[in-house]
Amino acid sequence: MSAVPKPLPQITPEMAPFWEAARRHELMVQRCRGCGTRRFPARELCSRCLSRDAGWERVSGHGQVFSFAIMHQVYHPAFADAVPYAIVVVELEEGARVLSNLVDCPTADVAIGLPVEVVFEDVAPDVTLPKFRPRRAAA
Ligand SMILES: [Zn+2]
């Protein structure tokens, strides 16, 4: 364990529904009410149809690695024990792309197209981080 606590995400008003859902261990993304496009992070304007009308929708948490980076450099002392670790952009089955960490996976096995599923890490009493792990094959 590291002696220095990891920094917690800043919870903006726009992203509050996402973090509230994460505390319930649910993954939610914003969905445009104009054209149905799902997006992450939350934005005021739909980049596809320019509608400002949007809501939040629960998604499966299933997707695949769209792109990734393996972090070797320690940019914050709290992550000294964590390197190397994988930062991934996950393309959800429903269409939005979410930036997160990939866990339970050797960094050598991280690959574009890897099927993943969401997992939830309770890091503080009121903060839960959605992360992803390789999806286990259905038995
Ligand atoms: Zn739209």
Side-chain angles (χ1 to χ4, degrees):
M1 284 297 287
S2 172
V4 182
K6 288 178 179 163
L8 295 172
Q10 282 202 320
I11 297 177
T12 61
E14 298 77 40
M15 288 297 289
F18 172 83
W19 295 111
E20 284 163 18
R23 284 207 298 272
R24 301 191 303 267
H25 288 199
E26 294 177 2
L27 189 66
M28 291 185 92
V29 296
Q30 205 181 26
R31 184 175 193 190
C32 174
R33 290 202 182 101
C35 69
T37 300
R38 294 173 183 88
R39 60 192 190 227
F40 181 92
R43 284 187 289 274
E44 196 186 338
L45 205 67
C46 178
S47 57
R48 196 163 154 217
C49 75
L50 303 182
S51 172
R52 290 176 190 276
D53 192 13
W56 287 83
E57 185 181 88
R58 190 178 178 186
V59 290
S60 65
H62 288 178
Q64 59 176 9
V65 174
F66 177 77
S67 73
F68 69 93
I70 306 298
M71 301 298 284
H72 296 276
Q73 187 79 33
V74 178
Y75 290 103
H76 187 288
F79 291 85
D81 296 339
V83 291
Y85 61 93
I87 293 179
V88 289
V89 176
V90 170
E91 187 165 69
L92 299 172
E93 284 177 352
E94 293 86 356
R97 289 177 190 156
V98 178
L99 179 70
S100 183
N101 288 121
L102 187 68
V103 298
D104 296 340
C105 184
T107 52
D109 293 349
V110 185
I112 288 170
L114 180 74
V116 294
E117 63 188 1
V118 72
V119 288
F120 295 94
E121 203 171 291
D122 300 315
V123 293
D126 54 349
V127 181
T128 297
L129 300 180
K131 296 187 176 183
F132 288 85
R133 68 180 178 203
R135 194 150 84 223
R136 287 138 171 72

